[in-house]
Amino acid sequence: MPHIYSQARKQYENDGDGIRLQKLLAQAGFGSRRKCEEMITDGRVEVDGELVTELGTRVDPKRQQVRVDGSRIRLNPRHITLALNKPRKVLSTMDDPKGRYTLRDIVGDKYERIFHMGRLDYDSEGLILMTNDGELSQHVMHPKYEVEKTYIATLEGHMSGTVCRRLVRTGVQLDDGWIKLDHCSIIDSNRDQTIVKAVLHSGRNRIVRRIFGAIGFPVKRLVRTQIGPIKLGDIKSGSYRVLSQDEVRALSKEVGL
């Protein structure tokens, strides 16, 4: 239960520094200034763990933590988070001494100190998240949070729904231990190939290829379509887009920020 915003905070809010809380919420994408004022008076906003209900409160977005309905707002205007569609034959790195194509060839040098959150292998395609927010990156990649990832895999051979269900129910044993899918469904199949949707939390190296390869269905094509709440959508291969404030908030909430 958060405490009501304490008298000790009054000095800061009266000294003319910072930004009015309702203006900050509006800039963060929570709606009009009036709507943000209603959120404050309705008791939905906390600053540094203390409930704020008075309009006119000022905050320093660089030093203070603001939450709406328990979810933290990412406030640093210098932070940027991208969703990128990695093509095949592109390395999930920013530099390569051999001169092969990397993520830097797609995003360029426009964003300072930006780096990727996780990887896709050289022959895989799809969604990679990138950011210059170190805290967000650490949480997204930390095994503790096990962010759910969705893939569309094209497999060699005809795989039955029974096998798909078994991968969810009992899983398969790999060299580094047992692994199960969270979800597996067949999208299309014929005698020569099967297209499946696979969802799992594990971030082990080449895990999707190893799972299906272990049961005799080598992966011909692999596309990651979603990471947590962030979807690949209609981003063209070799392109990217900047995530909205709502998307960054949803991703932050997913990883405990």
Side-chain angles (χ1 to χ4, degrees):
M1 180 71 179
H3 300 289
I4 297 296
Y5 200 66
S6 66
Q7 187 66 32
R9 299 284 182 182
K10 297 299 184 180
Q11 180 63 41
Y12 181 77
E13 65 180 67
N14 290 332
D15 67 3
D17 292 332
I19 181 174
R20 289 184 182 273
L21 184 56
Q22 57 264 44
K23 181 178 180 180
L24 184 68
L25 296 177
Q27 291 177 347
F30 282 95
S32 67
R33 193 82 61 88
R34 182 177 294 277
K35 180 179 178 181
C36 293
E37 290 175 349
E38 291 176 355
M39 294 171 64
I40 295 170
T41 56
D42 287 345
R44 298 172 56 190
V45 183
E46 299 170 41
V47 178
D48 290 341
E50 297 182 351
L51 190 64
V52 178
T53 57
E54 295 184 15
L55 300 178
T57 299
R58 292 179 178 273
V59 294
D60 182 350
K62 294 181 180 180
R63 295 191 304 171
Q64 295 179 280
Q65 185 181 112
V66 179
R67 291 181 180 268
V68 175
D69 297 330
S71 297
R72 184 175 176 182
I73 304 174
R74 312 300 291 176
L75 297 172
N76 192 326
R78 293 173 296 180
H79 285 163
I80 192 81
T81 303
L82 310 177
L84 180 146
N85 187 351
K86 185 190 92 69
R88 293 178 66 246
K89 309 300 182 184
V90 172
L91 290 174
S92 296
T93 185
M94 296 301 284
D95 298 288
D96 178 52
K98 297 182 180 180
R100 291 171 292 184
Y101 279 100
T102 68
L103 300 178
R104 189 182 299 279
D105 291 300
I106 297 174
V107 300
D109 296 316
K110 180 178 180 180
Y111 305 105
E112 185 179 0
R113 293 191 297 275
I114 198 162
F115 45 89
H116 48 91
M117 295 184 276
R119 298 173 180 268
L120 283 170
D121 67 67
Y122 190 58
D123 289 316
S124 295
E125 310 164 53
L127 182 61
I128 284 185
L129 299 180
M130 304 185 70
T131 190
N132 57 6
D133 184 341
E135 185 180 26
L136 177 61
S137 177
Q138 288 176 9
H139 278 246
V140 169
M141 294 192 292
H142 198 290
K144 173 182 177 181
Y145 298 101
E146 293 188 326
V147 178
E148 191 174 84
K149 304 173 185 69
T150 301
Y151 300 84
I152 303 299
T154 303
L155 313 176
E156 292 184 15
H158 177 78
M159 191 178 81
S160 67
T162 301
V163 174
C164 215
R165 290 188 292 273
R166 190 182 305 138
L167 288 174
V168 175
R169 189 170 56 250
T170 60
V172 62
Q173 187 169 19
L174 304 177
D175 293 340
D176 52 355
W178 279 91
I179 183 73
K180 294 193 293 185
L181 295 179
D182 298 326
H183 172 83
C184 181
S185 60
I186 296 177
I187 297 174
D188 193 18
S189 67
N190 56 43
R191 186 176 62 183
D192 300 318
Q193 71 176 27
T194 305
I195 301 176
V196 301
K197 177 182 178 180
V199 181
L200 74 167
H201 288 80
S202 174
R204 295 192 221 171
N205 187 40
R206 297 176 62 88
I207 189 63
V208 177
R209 292 183 182 276
R210 291 196 290 136
I211 288 173
F212 289 109
I215 60 172
F217 296 95
V219 175
K220 297 167 60 178
R221 184 186 182 195
L222 186 63
V223 182
R224 185 159 65 196
T225 60
Q226 188 167 346
I227 300 173
I230 310 302
K231 298 181 179 181
L232 180 64
D234 58 1
I235 304 173
K236 294 182 179 180
S237 181
S239 300
Y240 67 90
R241 66 177 179 84
V242 177
L243 295 190
S244 68
Q245 288 285 348
D246 286 342
E247 288 176 310
V248 174
R249 282 197 297 270
L251 181 62
S252 298
K253 185 176 181 179
E254 182 95 358
V255 296
L257 287 174

